[in-house]
Amino acid sequence: MSKVILITSGKGGVGKSSLCCLLGYALSTLGERVCLVELDHGLRGLDVMLGVTNRAVYDLSDILAGRCSLDQGLVTSLWSSSLSLICAPNSRAFSFVSGEMKRLIACLRERFDTVILDCPAGLGEILPQMAQFSDLGLVVVTPDLICARAARSAADLLAGAGIRQMRLVINRLDEKRFKKSSSFQDLDEVIDFVAVQLIGVIPEDIELGRCMENALPPKFQDGARVAIENIAKRCQGQYIPLWMA
Ligand SMILES: Nc1ncnc2c1ncn2[C@@H]1O[C@H](COP(=O)(O)OP(=O)(O)OP(=O)(O)O)[C@@H](O)[C@H]1O
Ligand SMILES: [Mg+2]
C-alpha cells in the first residue's frame, strides 16, 4: 500500500529538503518507487540537490493547471531511476486548490510506493491541508530550544489537522556542541519538549552538506547516511533499535 510522508519543521533551514532527497533515495535503494513533491513555491531547491535543474521544464503548478501531463511534470533523478521529483513553482504567487492537490496525490499513490511532501518552513495553511492527505508527518528539529519550540508548534498544527502518525527527526547533532551550548540536558529532553516519538537522529555531517550542494549521489560513508537508511527502514515498519542511530 502506498504511503504519503510529509516533512515539516516550523523553523527554516533545519534540513527538511536534504532529508526529503536522502530519505527518498534510501527508500528507492530498498526497492520502492518514490516521488518527491516540493511545495516550497518561490524557493525551490530539490532540482539543484538532485542535479536535474536542466531537465525540470514543468512544475507543480503546470500539472495542477493541466498545462502538462503528470508524465511530463515528473523528473527522474540521476541518482536512481526509481526516484522522481515534481518541482515547486518558481512563482511566489502560486496557491493551489486543495481539491486539485488531493486528486494529484491520489494519482501519485497509484504510481508510487512512497510520496514525500517537502513543506515550506513556517506554519502556513499548506501544512494542515497537506496533513489531511498524509499518512506520516516527519517533524525535523535541530537540537536547540528555538527549533524545538517551532517544531512543537508544527506538531500541534499537524495533530489538530488530524494527521494519522507523527515522528521526530533530530538533525545536525554535534555531540560536543550540544553538550556545551544547548539548553537541553540530553536528547530525551528535546523529545519530551516536542512531544513526538523519535524515529532517528542524524549527525552533523560535512559530507552530507557537500553532496546536497553539488548534487552528488549520497554514497558518503557511515554517519548521516546510515542514520537516514535506518529512518527509511523504520518508515517501512522495520524494527531497527533506536540506539543504532
Ligand atoms: N545532517 C547535516 N549535516 C550537515 N549539514 C546539513 C545536515 N542537514 C542539512 N544540512 C545543511 O543545512 C542546510 C539547510 O538544509 P535544507 O535546505 O535541507 O533545510 P530546509 O529545512 O529544507 O530549509 P528551508 O526551510 O529553507 O526549506 C544545507 O546547507 C544542508 O546541506
Ligand atoms: Mg527546504
Side-chain angles (χ1 to χ4, degrees):
M1 214 177 73
S2 68
K3 183 176 238 175
V4 177
I5 300 175
L6 172 156
I7 301 187
T8 185
S9 61
K11 185 99 170 57
V14 300
K16 295 180 293 299
S17 299
S18 307
L19 177 66
C20 180
C21 293
L22 296 169
L23 178 62
Y25 177 70
L27 287 168
S28 77
T29 62
L30 293 169
E32 293 198 13
R33 292 160 301 161
V34 182
C35 181
L36 314 180
V37 183
E38 187 179 30
L39 298 168
D40 214 345
H41 55 282
L43 296 168
R44 67 154 78 159
L46 294 193
D47 57 321
V48 175
M49 289 178 173
L50 293 171
V52 294
T53 304
N54 294 341
R55 293 199 281 138
V57 178
Y58 297 107
D59 62 43
L60 180 62
S61 67
D62 296 315
I63 298 174
L64 294 179
R67 288 189 290 270
C68 71
S69 67
L70 178 54
D71 280 317
Q72 287 172 316
L74 285 166
V75 188
T76 306
S77 93
L78 301 177
W79 297 355
S80 157
S81 57
S82 314
L83 179 63
S84 299
L85 166 67
I86 296 178
C87 293
N90 263 324
S91 165
R92 201 64 203 147
F94 168 76
S95 72
F96 60 78
V97 179
S98 189
E100 290 172 354
M101 201 63 197
K102 188 176 180 183
R103 275 194 293 281
L104 173 63
I105 288 181
C107 287
L108 294 175
R109 276 186 185 273
E110 282 173 18
R111 297 176 56 151
F112 295 94
D113 300 300
T114 298
V115 177
I116 306 181
L117 308 176
D118 183 22
C119 288
L123 305 172
E125 63 182 31
I126 203 169
L127 209 53
Q129 285 181 356
M130 291 302 115
Q132 291 168 23
F133 314 139
S134 305
D135 304 296
L136 170 65
L138 292 183
V139 180
V140 186
V141 68
T142 50
D144 58 88
L145 183 56
I146 294 170
C147 282
R149 201 157 54 184
R152 191 169 64 183
S153 300
D156 286 348
L157 210 150
L158 292 185
I163 197 152
R164 289 171 206 141
Q165 199 181 35
M166 258 189 288
R167 291 290 182 268
L168 183 69
V169 175
I170 298 178
N171 189 27
R172 306 198 71 164
L173 175 68
D174 176 329
E175 303 249 13
K176 273 192 196 144
R177 201 173 61 207
F178 179 69
K179 282 199 179 110
K180 241 182 174 171
S181 61
S182 178
S183 16
F184 296 107
Q185 291 288 318
D186 52 32
L187 291 186
D188 284 338
E189 275 195 6
V190 180
I191 300 163
D192 289 347
F193 188 90
V194 185
V196 173
Q197 194 180 322
L198 186 70
I199 195 167
V201 178
I202 306 170
E204 175 73 25
D205 191 325
I206 198 164
E207 277 299 295
L208 182 152
R210 199 173 70 85
C211 285
M212 296 291 97
E213 189 68 25
N214 299 289
L216 299 171
K219 300 244 160 74
F220 46 92
Q221 293 296 305
D222 307 323
R225 185 182 56 78
V226 174
I228 291 163
E229 279 171 9
N230 285 339
I231 292 172
K233 289 176 185 165
R234 292 180 191 119
C235 285
Q236 289 186 323
Q238 293 189 47
Y239 175 67
I240 313 286
L242 279 166
W243 56 261
M244 288 181 68

